[in-house]
Amino acid sequence: MKVALLAALALVLSGCSGWHEQAGVGECAKQVDLNDTNVEMAEVECSSQEAVYRVSSRERRTMCPTGDYLTESSGRSRTNGKTRLCYVLNVREGDCLKAVNQYFERVACGAGTRKVTKVVDGKSDRALCNGDDAKTYSQPVKTICITN
């Protein structure tokens, strides 16, 4: 009991705002609360149904690379300044999604869902989606097409 209390106190004093572990570059993440308009993500196994996002980069600047990234800012530290995590969609062709606030949630296909129609690695070009919603990324270079 004392160990847990001391660990909790250490987290509070160190400035951690949440109890979830942030994902690192290449790892997968899920949104902590779909209804929260602030982006707050937690690490999950990439094989999980909840793993709709993957961390593509951790930036020490104010912006992610060019693209349709979901971004999460972490707190400031004295030595590093603010860090920004840049998330790409972690989806496959045929996945169905539901848009909630700025997030996508992977769901069973049905009425009111949007379907991933194409995932093209190595190209970032909205024209590949033939009028569907296009998510393009420059790091990694990728285009994801989703029905409107």
Side-chain angles (χ1 to χ4, degrees):
M1 178 72 172
K2 287 183 179 181
V3 172
L5 185 59
L6 289 174
L9 183 59
L11 283 171
V12 170
L13 293 175
S14 69
C16 288
S17 61
W19 293 94
H20 64 277
E21 183 176 337
Q22 281 188 326
V25 174
E27 295 176 324
C28 293
K30 69 172 186 167
Q31 57 283 4
V32 172
D33 181 357
L34 286 170
N35 296 313
D36 190 350
T37 57
N38 294 316
V39 176
E40 186 178 0
M41 306 293 273
E43 180 181 355
V44 293
E45 288 294 319
C46 288
S47 60
S48 166
Q49 178 76 4
E50 297 176 309
V52 181
Y53 295 93
R54 184 181 296 265
V55 179
S56 69
S57 67
R58 181 182 293 264
E59 304 294 333
R60 295 217 192 290
R61 54 186 182 212
T62 58
M63 302 297 287
C64 287
T66 302
D68 297 308
Y69 299 92
L70 184 67
T71 62
E72 177 183 24
S73 294
S74 66
R76 282 179 115 38
S77 75
R78 286 188 298 252
T79 56
N80 297 336
K82 188 174 257 188
T83 300
R84 183 172 304 272
L85 294 172
C86 306
Y87 296 94
V88 298
L89 279 171
N90 180 47
V91 294
R92 294 181 305 235
E93 288 180 23
D95 281 353
C96 286
L97 306 171
K98 179 181 174 187
V100 181
N101 290 322
Q102 70 270 32
Y103 302 112
F104 278 110
E105 176 183 26
R106 193 180 338 264
V107 295
C109 295
T113 63
R114 299 171 67 191
K115 192 168 194 170
V116 176
T117 57
K118 191 183 295 186
V119 177
V120 181
D121 291 316
K123 291 186 179 181
S124 179
D125 184 357
R126 293 185 185 285
L128 294 170
C129 293
N130 299 319
D132 279 347
D133 183 16
K135 302 295 180 195
T136 59
Y137 306 100
S138 59
Q139 183 184 328
V141 179
K142 180 180 282 206
T143 300
I144 298 171
C145 305
I146 305 168
T147 58
N148 291 315

